[in-house]
Amino acid sequence: MDSDKTTKIGLFQLVMLTLGSLIGSGWLFGSWEASKVAGPSAIISWVIGGAVIAAIAYDYVELGAMFPEAGGMSKYAQYSHGPLLGFISSWANWISLITLIPIEAVAAVQYMSSWPWSWANWTHQFLKNGTITTAGLMVVFLFMLVFTLLNFWSVKILTSFTSLISVFKIGVPTLTIIMLTIASFHPENYGHSLHAFMPYGSAPIFAATSSAGIIFSFNAFQTVINMGSEIENPKKNIGRGIFISLLISGIIYVVLQSVFITAIKPSAVAAHGWSGINFNSPFADLAIMLGVRWLSVLLYMDAFVSPVGTGVSFAASTGRALYAMESNQHIPSFLGKINQKYGIPRVAMLVNLILSMLMVSIFRSWATLATVICTSTLIAYLTGPVTAVAFRKIAPDFKRPVKLKNLKWMAPLSFVLASLAVYWAMWPTTVEVILVILLGLPFYFYYEYRAGYVNTRKAFWSSMWMIIYLIFISIMSYAGSHQFNGVNWIPYPWDFVVIIIASLGFYIWGVKSAYIFPDYYQAKELNDSVKE
């Protein structure tokens, strides 16, 4: 991946690339989905979701600077806790990434399906009852092929494309904010009482962060981490790239949510309630309803641009993540082959394309795909805070270009927040995603068998905390409060208390489970090449 032909990415390009990922289909659907779940209080959900991701990203800044490599997020747990935890973490992260490519294509096709012009009636067959049809699926496949091909030749093409497209992606949401505010502004929709502001109670505020695509919308910060060694001056630019991108996108998302709430006519809210307001293409439908038809045309255009920009960026990240997983030596070696001319993992990209097509053939709605992404991503992220602190204990002499001052308390906080967000995804999603993650274990144990079970027992014990954690969070999802689809054995908010206390215990166990495997020496060799 680090060939001489690889173009280094500067801070501006990095921010543009990350914004190209962050501002995707989430802005087109998130505000509507969150309003359906939590009403006007959905605006708090965006703040909470952004805070959860920012806390998690904080831990990865130190790790990313210590180990600047392509697909890095698929390797950190492997360095600190051995191959089994590394496999679980990278597999969970990879599941989320191969789901991200089709969700952006689905978003574009769903907006196409509601084109209001008579000449476009043929597009209406792409969606039925919120689900992509077989005809629509063919168009989704076409989008995904384009995402992959735009990454197929060089990083330079990727950065030039996404820098241009990101300007458009920031401009259209900004224009939407201005025009919808002018066309319809009803601040009374926030209500004059706490009940009106939180019509469904406080629990849906948290549920919306995971189930309405909010955490999914912020997930793309890992684009920075996964570009790793391709970043110019990673010591400074990894942290800056992440937090500048999260800040800009966070402001846009919060204001968009507010505009969506105040643009809806009060009579519509009174007639249907927030949960009864249904759109196929939320902001475009709203613009048509308010008589701003030219804006709806622009939004239909952006429904191509935003998902394409995100899909292109994640086709790159997903290829790098699968390439990085191959070094774990628990998936076929041909997936780690690099094209010598362009320094790009072409085989990995093609395999991801095929598996992404399979994923969207099974899960054909935007909301379902968003929930799968959120949960699998968070499970992968759980290893970040544990690994960052574990390295301070087992590798105190490693170079740390960025040494975080507040890591000792931010790491357990981010672990707890990630655990709560997994729970907020609600039963049975948590168990379904965990089962998908466990489907990867036969690959792991097959390659352990071929290697003669070297260090298998040690790797198992070093990963035991995560295995028991996944069992615990599955049980909690079932036994928790009815607000999160549980059987209410542990009512709200006591379910939060149980998760917080137990998560702190798992965090401590995880940090103490770090062990020096052969992968540790690979990490040391990489770290030795870092300039402080």
Side-chain angles (χ1 to χ4, degrees), residues 270-323:
H272 306 288
W274 289 100
S275 61
I277 295 174
N278 289 311
F279 294 120
N280 282 336
S281 310
F283 278 106
D285 289 348
L286 186 57
I288 291 172
M289 185 185 299
L290 298 175
V292 194
R293 287 191 167 269
W294 67 266
L295 179 62
S296 70
V297 175
L298 189 61
L299 286 164
Y300 284 123
M301 288 174 56
D302 190 69
F304 278 98
V305 176
S306 287
V308 167
T310 304
V312 167
S313 297
F314 270 101
S317 293
T318 310
R320 287 163 176 78
L322 188 57
Y323 156 80

Side-chain angles (χ1 to χ4, degrees), residues 150-379:
L150 282 170
N151 279 282
F152 218 58
W153 284 278
S154 77
V155 173
K156 185 175 182 180
I157 292 175
L158 169 65
T159 53
S160 299
F161 178 78
T162 51
S163 293
L164 176 64
I165 214 170
S166 295
V167 174
F168 185 78
K169 290 174 69 172
I170 295 169
V172 174
T174 303
L175 184 62
T176 301
I177 289 167
I178 294 168
M179 295 312 302
L180 290 185
T181 301
I182 292 171
S184 180
F185 183 62
H186 301 283
E188 64 268 27
N189 284 347
Y190 277 109
H192 301 290
S193 66
L194 191 61
H195 174 71
F197 180 65
M198 297 190 299
Y200 311 117
S202 58
I205 295 174
F206 302 103
T209 62
S210 295
S211 63
I214 290 176
I215 285 179
F216 154 71
S217 299
F218 286 115
N219 175 58
F221 84 86
Q222 64 168 289
T223 300
V224 179
I225 304 294
N226 283 327
M227 296 305 273
S229 55
E230 296 164 65
I231 297 173
E232 183 181 284
N233 192 5
K235 174 181 177 178
K236 293 182 179 179
N237 288 342
I238 287 177
R240 290 174 178 175
I242 289 172
F243 289 105
I244 291 173
S245 304
L246 282 177
L247 180 62
I248 293 172
S249 59
I251 291 170
I252 290 172
Y253 280 133
V254 168
V255 177
L256 277 166
Q257 180 66 71
S258 182
V259 167
F260 186 87
I261 290 167
T262 56
I264 299 290
K265 294 180 179 179
S267 58
V269 177
H272 306 288
W274 289 100
S275 61
I277 295 174
N278 289 311
F279 294 120
N280 282 336
S281 310
F283 278 106
D285 289 348
L286 186 57
I288 291 172
M289 185 185 299
L290 298 175
V292 194
R293 287 191 167 269
W294 67 266
L295 179 62
S296 70
V297 175
L298 189 61
L299 286 164
Y300 284 123
M301 288 174 56
D302 190 69
F304 278 98
V305 176
S306 287
V308 167
T310 304
V312 167
S313 297
F314 270 101
S317 293
T318 310
R320 287 163 176 78
L322 188 57
Y323 156 80
M325 282 174 65
E326 187 275 332
S327 67
N328 190 295
Q329 297 181 350
H330 288 90
I331 60 174
S333 59
F334 70 85
L335 295 174
K337 289 183 67 175
I338 299 296
N339 179 274
Q340 294 302 311
K341 184 176 181 181
Y342 298 108
I344 286 173
R346 285 185 165 183
V347 176
M349 285 183 176
L350 290 174
V351 170
N352 284 330
L353 174 63
I354 294 167
L355 292 173
S356 294
M357 287 177 171
L358 177 62
M359 185 72 76
V360 75
S361 298
I362 299 169
F363 303 108
R364 296 195 183 191
S365 76
W366 188 90
T368 305
L369 289 166
T371 309
V372 170
I373 292 166
C374 170
T375 312
S376 56
T377 302
L378 288 166
I379 290 171

Side-chain angles (χ1 to χ4, degrees), residues 450-465:
R450 287 185 56 179
Y453 293 112
V454 179
N455 288 325
T456 303
R457 185 185 295 272
K458 290 178 181 177
F460 181 76
W461 288 112
S462 190
S463 307
M464 180 61 76
W465 66 273

